[in-house]
Amino acid sequence: MSTSPLLDAIRAAKAREDDAARELLIGVAQWADAHTTGALMPDLYGTYSHPDDDAYDAAESAWVSRFGMPGADTMLELAGAGAPEVSDFAVTELSTALGRTRESGRLLVGDVVEAKHRLPKVWARLLAGQVTAWRVRRLAQATRSLSAEAVAFVDAQIAHVIHTAGPVTVDRLVLEASARFDPESVEVAECDTRANLYFDLDLATPATSVGTASAVTADGLLDRADAEDLEHAIRHIAHQLLADGSTDTLAVRRAKALGYLARGQDPLPDTDPEGTEAEATEAEATEDGRAASASERRRDRATHTRTAPRRVVVLTVHLSDAALTGAPQVDSVTGTLGLDLARVENHRQLLTADTIREWCGVPGTQVIVKPVIDLADTVAVDSYEVPDRIAARVKLARTTCSFPHCRRPAESADLDHTVEYVPPDRGGPPGQTSTENLAPLCRHDHRAKTHPSPAGRPWAVRGLSPGHWLWTSPHGHRYLVHPDGTTPL
């Protein structure tokens, strides 16, 4: 029996649900507009985003003069600066009608007021039925603390892609707006974070039983560059333990790796290519002449340490040459002196250029500057294997998995031939492994494209142009994947 009609019915039900959620937000906006004085909220925050006591006192006095006696209906600040206040009692009645608590109702009304009055471009797309309600609400919750100038910047940048933008994109844009329009707060937060780094091992808390006394918990807040170094070392040692025959889970091997780091031990025997075969044999033998077991080799190496080679942790950073020198720059958006920002692509982080300069200045750090890659170039080879120079271009051009709605990072994804590779000895054309015929796919979605589903067919994909793929599901539904996300067709 075909399940296509069932899938069609599910999609239709979801469309009706989305329409109802949009109508709810529009209705709540009308209710809020009918219960406001129209007075705009002042910006109650001063230097470094600290509350302005005078502004608060003035606002409180205005409420008292407006409503007279204490305990009367008041106007609630439910959105950011520049949005109108809403009657407390009106929100209470609306919350009750919707079966919500007072807190839940205030959150709903606050999201709606924020979106309508501070994100007008996004709100217009909601009215046109071009974006789902939950995306608008999530954006509104993220922008509520921004200044009027910062939220206008977010609205202009995100409105045309709000229907497909993922949480990472939204959050990073909000952080960028905060840094551009309130650089003082960013600098204060950065200084506070550096001053509050810590790492604790809970050796003092008594164990709850004898069986748990052999382990302790660890907790900390580390510098990101130090954490990258530590993660690289832990992952490397955990992999070595697996190669040496360990049957522990990955989590256990990672925990044991910290012990090896603390003792300066190497979990594997010396693999110096210049060592002789006799030295290798001697190292792997016990005193009675028999071959040493894996556990005996690990025990023997516990007393043997050697300096680990310097490891290089690679970060893909986008920043200007002026930012590297620390020269003051006028922000192209705000028109004032601002912070130099750096985008760490492979970890989707936005940092200040000061942090990057500090990392590069640590003694022993190896800084590798690679030339800018022209992603418009087509590079191709005949072999099935993907050379590093092609892999780098593909993953820089598409930073996430190319499957519909998938946002897993391309850095850890497979590179899939969009058009199936045919070996040259079987008549395949030259240059099949190229930047135009490769797309990043996470392992799960790569399997979905390769193997049949219960419907009897796998997913199919066709490359349309650089960064654009047309996917067809096993039941025949089509999805266009593009640089801004996924659009069902």
Side-chain angles (χ1 to χ4, degrees):
M1 176 181 177
S2 173
T3 54
S4 291
L6 176 60
L7 185 58
D8 292 339
I10 293 173
R11 294 185 71 186
K14 179 63 171 62
R16 292 193 298 271
E17 179 187 39
D18 291 341
D19 290 340
R22 275 191 290 266
E23 291 175 4
L24 173 64
L25 294 197
I26 294 171
V28 170
Q30 294 171 346
W31 177 267
D33 288 344
H35 296 88
T36 177
T37 61
L40 299 182
M41 289 173 48
D43 188 349
L44 302 180
Y45 291 88
T47 306
Y48 301 117
S49 291
H50 293 161
D52 187 327
D53 293 335
D54 292 338
Y56 269 114
D57 293 341
E60 185 176 357
S61 298
W63 291 339
V64 173
S65 62
R66 185 185 304 166
F67 298 106
M69 54 187 291
D73 187 16
T74 59
M75 305 303 287
L76 298 178
E77 305 173 359
L78 298 177
E85 305 161 338
V86 182
S87 162
D88 181 16
F89 289 172
V91 174
T92 298
E93 183 174 2
L94 177 65
S95 303
T96 304
L98 295 177
R100 292 173 175 261
T101 63
R102 181 172 62 255
E103 292 75 14
S104 175
R106 288 181 176 181
L107 180 61
L108 171 63
V109 175
D111 292 346
V112 170
V113 172
E114 173 77 11
K116 180 178 181 182
H117 295 276
R118 303 226 306 161
L119 298 163
K121 292 182 173 63
V122 171
W123 185 257
R125 295 207 61 192
L126 177 81
L127 295 180
Q130 298 171 346
V131 60
T132 53
W134 71 267
R135 291 183 182 274
V136 174
R137 289 198 64 186
R138 191 189 186 285
L139 176 63
Q141 291 166 11
T143 60
R144 191 168 298 159
S145 61
L146 296 180
S147 66
E149 297 79 10
V151 78
F153 169 78
V154 172
D155 189 36
Q157 295 291 320
I158 200 71
H160 68 290
V161 294
I162 183 61
H163 62 295
T164 56
V168 173
T169 301
V170 170
D171 292 344
R172 189 157 64 181
L173 180 60
V174 171
L175 290 177
E176 179 183 349
S178 176
R180 286 184 181 276
F181 292 90
D182 192 8
E184 296 90 352
S185 295
V186 174
E187 290 181 324
V188 170
E190 188 173 52
C191 291
D192 289 345
T193 300
R194 291 177 180 175
N196 288 283
L197 299 178
Y198 72 95
F199 183 77
D200 288 332
L201 293 172
D202 189 5
L203 298 170
T205 303
T208 57
S209 70
V210 175
T212 62
S214 62
V216 299
T217 59
D219 181 46
L221 178 65
L222 306 180
D223 175 82
R224 178 169 289 274
D226 293 340
E228 293 281 355
D229 291 337
L230 181 61
E231 168 63 23
H232 181 83
I234 290 175
R235 188 189 306 122
H236 178 68
I237 294 177
H239 179 72
Q240 287 183 324
L241 290 173
L242 178 64
D244 198 31
S246 174
T247 58
D248 294 329
T249 64
L250 175 60
V252 173
R253 284 185 278 116
R254 287 176 60 87
K256 289 183 176 180
L258 286 172
Y260 281 97
L261 288 173
R263 294 185 293 272
Q265 296 170 0
D266 191 331
L268 285 183
D270 196 334
T271 56
D272 185 355
E274 297 180 0
T276 64
E277 182 177 350
E279 290 173 336
T281 302
E282 180 180 354
E284 299 298 326
T286 61
E287 294 181 357
D288 57 5
R290 62 180 175 82
S293 65
S295 60
E296 288 172 326
R297 293 198 303 273
R298 287 194 296 271
R299 179 200 62 197
D300 293 340
R301 287 193 299 275
T303 59
H304 172 67
T305 63
R306 73 168 187 262
T307 302
R310 180 174 60 177
R311 299 186 177 100
V312 179
V313 177
V314 178
L315 298 178
T316 304
V317 180
H318 300 261
L319 77 169
S320 67
D321 53 353
L324 287 173
T325 66
Q329 280 189 293
V330 174
D331 191 296
S332 59
V333 175
T334 64
T336 60
L337 289 177
L339 294 174
D340 294 318
L341 301 178
R343 180 161 49 93
V344 183
E345 191 61 60
N346 48 338
H347 289 278
R348 306 184 185 186
Q349 296 292 328
L350 195 67
L351 303 170
T352 64
D354 287 339
T355 298
I356 302 298
R357 285 194 295 270
E358 183 177 325
W359 289 353
C360 294
V362 174
T365 300
Q366 182 180 357
V367 180
I368 302 175
V369 179
K370 294 184 177 181
V372 175
I373 298 175
D374 186 355
L375 299 180
D377 287 346
T378 298
V379 183
V381 296
D382 296 338
S383 64
Y384 179 81
E385 292 73 19
V386 182
D388 291 343
R389 68 182 187 279
I390 294 181
R393 281 174 164 80
V394 173
K395 293 184 178 182
L396 282 174
R398 175 73 185 188
T399 58
T400 60
C401 174
S402 60
F403 194 81
H405 297 299
C406 185
R407 299 188 181 95
R408 291 185 176 274
E411 184 184 39
S412 57
D414 299 335
L415 289 180
D416 174 66
H417 289 80
T418 304
V419 177
E420 185 177 358
Y421 182 87
V422 178
D425 58 1
R426 297 182 184 175
Q432 297 180 76
T433 300
S434 72
T435 51
E436 293 185 347
N437 191 39
L438 289 171
L441 280 180
C442 69
R443 182 58 55 86
H444 176 275
D445 297 336
H446 197 171
R447 290 170 44 230
K449 174 182 177 290
T450 305
H451 303 289
S453 73
R457 296 180 299 275
W459 284 77
V461 61
R462 180 162 61 93
L464 302 179
S465 62
H468 296 75
W469 296 271
L470 179 63
W471 285 85
T472 304
S473 77
H475 281 90
H477 296 287
R478 298 193 300 169
Y479 305 86
L480 176 63
V481 176
H482 47 85
D484 295 326
T486 301
T487 301
L489 301 178

Short mmCIF file of all heavy atoms in Angstrom, two decimals, residues 2-4 7 447-460 472-477:
data_model
loop_
_atom_site.label_atom_id
_atom_site.label_comp_id
_atom_site.label_asym_id
_atom_site.label_seq_id
_atom_site.Cartn_x
_atom_site.Cartn_y
_atom_site.Cartn_z
N SER A 2 0.60 2.21 -0.88
CA SER A 2 1.39 3.42 -0.97
C SER A 2 1.13 4.32 0.23
O SER A 2 -0.01 4.47 0.69
CB SER A 2 1.04 4.17 -2.26
OG SER A 2 1.69 5.41 -2.28
N THR A 3 2.20 4.90 0.73
CA THR A 3 2.07 5.82 1.86
C THR A 3 2.15 7.28 1.43
O THR A 3 2.16 8.17 2.27
CB THR A 3 3.18 5.55 2.90
OG1 THR A 3 4.46 5.60 2.23
CG2 THR A 3 2.99 4.17 3.53
N SER A 4 2.17 7.52 0.13
CA SER A 4 2.24 8.90 -0.37
C SER A 4 1.04 9.74 0.07
O SER A 4 1.21 10.89 0.50
CB SER A 4 2.35 8.91 -1.90
OG SER A 4 3.61 8.40 -2.31
N LEU A 7 1.57 10.89 3.63
CA LEU A 7 2.56 11.96 3.76
C LEU A 7 1.98 13.29 3.28
O LEU A 7 2.24 14.34 3.90
CB LEU A 7 3.81 11.60 2.96
CG LEU A 7 5.00 12.56 3.09
CD1 LEU A 7 5.44 12.69 4.54
CD2 LEU A 7 6.16 12.10 2.22
N ARG A 447 24.10 8.30 3.73
CA ARG A 447 23.50 6.96 3.68
C ARG A 447 22.10 7.01 3.07
O ARG A 447 21.69 6.14 2.31
CB ARG A 447 23.45 6.36 5.08
CG ARG A 447 24.82 5.97 5.63
CD ARG A 447 24.76 5.61 7.11
NE ARG A 447 23.63 4.76 7.43
CZ ARG A 447 22.77 4.99 8.43
NH1 ARG A 447 22.91 6.06 9.18
NH2 ARG A 447 21.80 4.15 8.66
N ALA A 448 21.32 8.06 3.43
CA ALA A 448 19.96 8.19 2.89
C ALA A 448 19.98 8.38 1.38
O ALA A 448 19.05 7.94 0.68
CB ALA A 448 19.24 9.37 3.55
N LYS A 449 21.01 9.03 0.86
CA LYS A 449 21.12 9.22 -0.59
C LYS A 449 21.59 7.94 -1.28
O LYS A 449 21.27 7.71 -2.46
CB LYS A 449 22.10 10.36 -0.89
CG LYS A 449 22.41 10.56 -2.37
CD LYS A 449 23.41 11.68 -2.55
CE LYS A 449 23.78 11.83 -4.03
NZ LYS A 449 24.58 10.71 -4.53
N THR A 450 22.33 7.12 -0.57
CA THR A 450 22.95 5.94 -1.19
C THR A 450 22.05 4.72 -1.15
O THR A 450 22.01 3.94 -2.11
CB THR A 450 24.29 5.63 -0.49
OG1 THR A 450 25.12 6.80 -0.53
CG2 THR A 450 24.99 4.47 -1.15
N HIS A 451 21.31 4.52 -0.06
CA HIS A 451 20.55 3.28 0.14
C HIS A 451 19.05 3.53 0.08
O HIS A 451 18.57 4.60 0.46
CB HIS A 451 20.92 2.66 1.49
CG HIS A 451 22.39 2.39 1.64
ND1 HIS A 451 23.03 1.38 0.95
CD2 HIS A 451 23.35 3.02 2.37
CE1 HIS A 451 24.32 1.39 1.27
NE2 HIS A 451 24.53 2.37 2.13
N PRO A 452 18.27 2.55 -0.39
CA PRO A 452 16.82 2.71 -0.52
C PRO A 452 16.14 2.91 0.83
O PRO A 452 16.58 2.38 1.86
CB PRO A 452 16.36 1.41 -1.19
CG PRO A 452 17.60 0.84 -1.82
CD PRO A 452 18.74 1.26 -0.94
N SER A 453 15.04 3.67 0.84
CA SER A 453 14.21 3.86 2.02
C SER A 453 13.09 2.82 2.00
O SER A 453 12.99 2.03 1.05
CB SER A 453 13.61 5.27 2.00
OG SER A 453 12.61 5.35 1.01
N PRO A 454 12.21 2.80 3.01
CA PRO A 454 11.07 1.87 2.95
C PRO A 454 10.20 2.05 1.72
O PRO A 454 9.47 1.13 1.34
CB PRO A 454 10.30 2.20 4.24
CG PRO A 454 11.35 2.70 5.18
CD PRO A 454 12.30 3.47 4.32
N ALA A 455 10.26 3.23 1.10
CA ALA A 455 9.47 3.45 -0.12
C ALA A 455 10.09 2.76 -1.33
O ALA A 455 9.49 2.73 -2.41
CB ALA A 455 9.33 4.95 -0.41
N GLY A 456 11.29 2.22 -1.17
CA GLY A 456 11.91 1.46 -2.24
C GLY A 456 12.93 2.24 -3.05
O GLY A 456 13.60 1.67 -3.93
N ARG A 457 13.08 3.53 -2.78
CA ARG A 457 14.02 4.36 -3.52
C ARG A 457 14.83 5.21 -2.56
O ARG A 457 14.32 5.62 -1.51
CB ARG A 457 13.28 5.28 -4.50
CG ARG A 457 12.53 4.56 -5.60
CD ARG A 457 11.83 5.56 -6.51
NE ARG A 457 10.86 6.35 -5.78
CZ ARG A 457 9.60 5.96 -5.54
NH1 ARG A 457 9.19 4.78 -5.97
NH2 ARG A 457 8.77 6.74 -4.88
N PRO A 458 16.06 5.53 -2.89
CA PRO A 458 16.83 6.48 -2.08
C PRO A 458 16.49 7.91 -2.47
O PRO A 458 15.75 8.15 -3.43
CB PRO A 458 18.28 6.15 -2.43
CG PRO A 458 18.21 5.67 -3.84
CD PRO A 458 16.88 4.96 -3.98
N TRP A 459 17.01 8.86 -1.72
CA TRP A 459 16.89 10.27 -2.10
C TRP A 459 17.71 10.50 -3.38
O TRP A 459 18.74 9.87 -3.59
CB TRP A 459 17.42 11.17 -1.00
CG TRP A 459 16.49 11.31 0.17
CD1 TRP A 459 16.28 10.41 1.16
CD2 TRP A 459 15.66 12.43 0.46
NE1 TRP A 459 15.36 10.87 2.06
CE2 TRP A 459 14.96 12.13 1.66
CE3 TRP A 459 15.43 13.66 -0.17
CZ2 TRP A 459 14.05 13.02 2.24
CZ3 TRP A 459 14.53 14.55 0.41
CH2 TRP A 459 13.85 14.22 1.59
N ALA A 460 17.24 11.43 -4.20
CA ALA A 460 17.95 11.79 -5.43
C ALA A 460 18.28 13.27 -5.40
O ALA A 460 17.51 14.09 -4.86
CB ALA A 460 17.10 11.47 -6.66
N THR A 472 15.00 15.28 -4.39
CA THR A 472 13.72 14.61 -4.53
C THR A 472 13.65 13.47 -3.53
O THR A 472 14.53 12.61 -3.49
CB THR A 472 13.53 14.06 -5.96
OG1 THR A 472 13.67 15.12 -6.90
CG2 THR A 472 12.15 13.42 -6.10
N SER A 473 12.61 13.47 -2.69
CA SER A 473 12.49 12.45 -1.65
C SER A 473 12.00 11.14 -2.24
O SER A 473 11.52 11.10 -3.38
CB SER A 473 11.50 12.93 -0.57
OG SER A 473 10.16 12.80 -1.03
N PRO A 474 12.08 10.04 -1.49
CA PRO A 474 11.59 8.75 -2.00
C PRO A 474 10.12 8.78 -2.40
O PRO A 474 9.69 7.99 -3.24
CB PRO A 474 11.84 7.79 -0.83
CG PRO A 474 13.01 8.38 -0.10
CD PRO A 474 12.81 9.88 -0.21
N HIS A 475 9.32 9.71 -1.80
CA HIS A 475 7.91 9.81 -2.16
C HIS A 475 7.65 10.89 -3.20
O HIS A 475 6.49 11.22 -3.49
CB HIS A 475 7.06 10.09 -0.92
CG HIS A 475 6.81 8.87 -0.08
ND1 HIS A 475 7.65 8.49 0.94
CD2 HIS A 475 5.83 7.93 -0.13
CE1 HIS A 475 7.19 7.38 1.50
NE2 HIS A 475 6.08 7.02 0.87
N GLY A 476 8.71 11.46 -3.76
CA GLY A 476 8.53 12.40 -4.85
C GLY A 476 8.44 13.86 -4.47
O GLY A 476 8.25 14.72 -5.34
N HIS A 477 8.58 14.20 -3.18
CA HIS A 477 8.57 15.61 -2.79
C HIS A 477 9.92 16.24 -3.10
O HIS A 477 10.97 15.62 -2.92
CB HIS A 477 8.26 15.74 -1.29
CG HIS A 477 6.90 15.25 -0.93
ND1 HIS A 477 5.75 15.93 -1.25
CD2 HIS A 477 6.49 14.11 -0.28
CE1 HIS A 477 4.70 15.26 -0.80
NE2 HIS A 477 5.12 14.14 -0.23
#
